[in-house]
């Protein structure tokens, strides 16, 4: 009845997916994309669908398309960073080279989110985590490998700085909320 309403496609696609009719589910989501190509929710639904099927590259492709439509939305880039982190951290089937690529791609996405909003706590936290992963992936030949150790320490110091910034922003927000609540009680 409402062919331009994305949510209708989402419901129908989920029914198909739950019935194991994955081609119809994907086709329905693609119809939603064709009908509403600028609706970011369509790309999130596609990403979720592909992620449930284990199609990582298609997941990232959909999330990237969403970010292209919301280029000023830091959450779009943060979401991409979280998917890269998840893949690098949880998928033990990937090679170390793939893991390194995903960590770097996650860092790039986190940087894009932070560039749009340097007070975006979640993006700061994920960049912190990804930097720690990057440091942990460096293999120093021995304890005398000062260049490697220095590189690890630099990444960890950068991660610590991001963590501290995120904690400061959260503390500031809590303080502001408490002050607002106290002012409201006083009125």
């Amino acid at each position: 009845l409402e062919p331009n309403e994305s949510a209708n496609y989402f419901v129908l696609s989920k029914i198909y997916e739950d019935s194991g009719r994955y081609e119809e589910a994907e086709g329905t989501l693609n119809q939603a994309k064709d009908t509403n190509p600028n609706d970011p929710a369509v790309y999130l639904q596609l990403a979720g669908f592909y992620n449930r099927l284990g199609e990582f590259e298609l997941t990232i492709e959909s999330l990237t398309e969403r970010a292209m439509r919301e280029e000023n939305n830091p959450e779009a880039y943060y979401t991409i960073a979280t998917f890269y982190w998840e893949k690098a951290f949880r998928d033990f089937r990937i090679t170390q080279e793939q893991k390194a690529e995903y960590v770097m791609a996650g860092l790039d996405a986190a940087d894009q989110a932070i560039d749009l909003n340097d007070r975006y706590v979640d993006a700061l936290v994920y960049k912190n985590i990804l930097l720690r992963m990057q440091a942990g992936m460096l293999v120093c030949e021995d304890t005398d490998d000062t260049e490697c150790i220095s590189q690890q320490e630099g990444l960890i110091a950068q991660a610590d700085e991001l963590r501290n910034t995120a904690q400061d922003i959260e503390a500031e927000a809590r303080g502001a909320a408490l002050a607002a609540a106290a002012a409201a009680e006083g009125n």
Side-chain angles (χ1 to χ4, degrees):
L1 295 175
E2 295 180 42
N4 293 327
E5 182 59 43
S6 296
N8 294 335
Y9 292 96
F10 302 160
V11 171
L12 182 58
S13 174
K14 188 67 173 129
I15 291 169
Y16 283 136
E17 182 181 346
D18 291 346
S19 299
R21 297 170 60 184
Y22 302 115
E23 287 181 22
E24 289 97 334
E26 182 180 21
T28 302
L29 289 173
N30 282 321
Q31 283 180 310
K33 182 170 76 168
D34 292 342
T35 302
N36 297 305
N38 293 318
D39 183 356
V42 171
Y43 300 95
L44 280 172
Q45 290 292 322
L46 272 164
F49 171 75
Y50 290 132
N51 193 52
R52 289 187 295 278
L53 293 181
E55 296 287 345
F56 183 71
E57 297 305 322
L58 291 172
T59 300
I60 292 298
E61 185 179 303
S62 296
L63 292 172
T64 302
E65 286 186 56
R66 178 233 180 164
M68 289 172 28
R69 280 150 184 83
E70 293 186 300
E71 59 187 32
N72 293 320
N73 180 1
E75 191 271 336
Y77 297 100
Y78 155 77
T79 301
I80 294 169
T82 65
F83 275 80
Y84 276 120
W85 168 81
E86 174 109 15
K87 185 71 169 174
F89 185 72
R90 298 198 190 284
D91 191 342
F92 297 104
R93 298 168 298 168
I94 62 174
T95 66
Q96 285 299 313
E97 291 78 21
Q98 288 172 309
K99 184 175 181 177
E101 286 176 33
Y102 294 149
V103 167
M104 294 309 295
L107 286 167
D108 287 343
D111 281 338
Q112 287 178 289
I114 293 166
D115 286 347
L116 291 169
N117 180 357
D118 63 354
R119 297 180 57 82
Y120 191 4
V121 171
D122 293 338
L124 294 168
V125 168
Y126 265 86
K127 183 172 181 184
N128 155 44
I129 293 167
L130 287 160
L131 284 169
R132 290 178 194 284
M133 285 182 73
Q134 184 182 17
M137 291 175 64
L138 290 176
V139 178
C140 301
E141 298 300 321
D142 54 46
T143 56
D144 294 333
D145 190 350
T146 56
E147 183 178 328
C148 179
I149 292 169
S150 176
Q151 193 176 7
Q152 282 179 326
E153 289 172 350
L155 291 168
I156 291 170
Q158 190 179 353
D160 286 345
E161 185 179 321
L162 289 164
R163 181 200 59 218
N164 293 341
T165 299
Q167 289 173 341
D168 291 346
I169 292 168
E170 286 181 326
E172 182 183 306
R174 278 192 303 275
L178 290 172
E185 285 182 17
N187 288 333

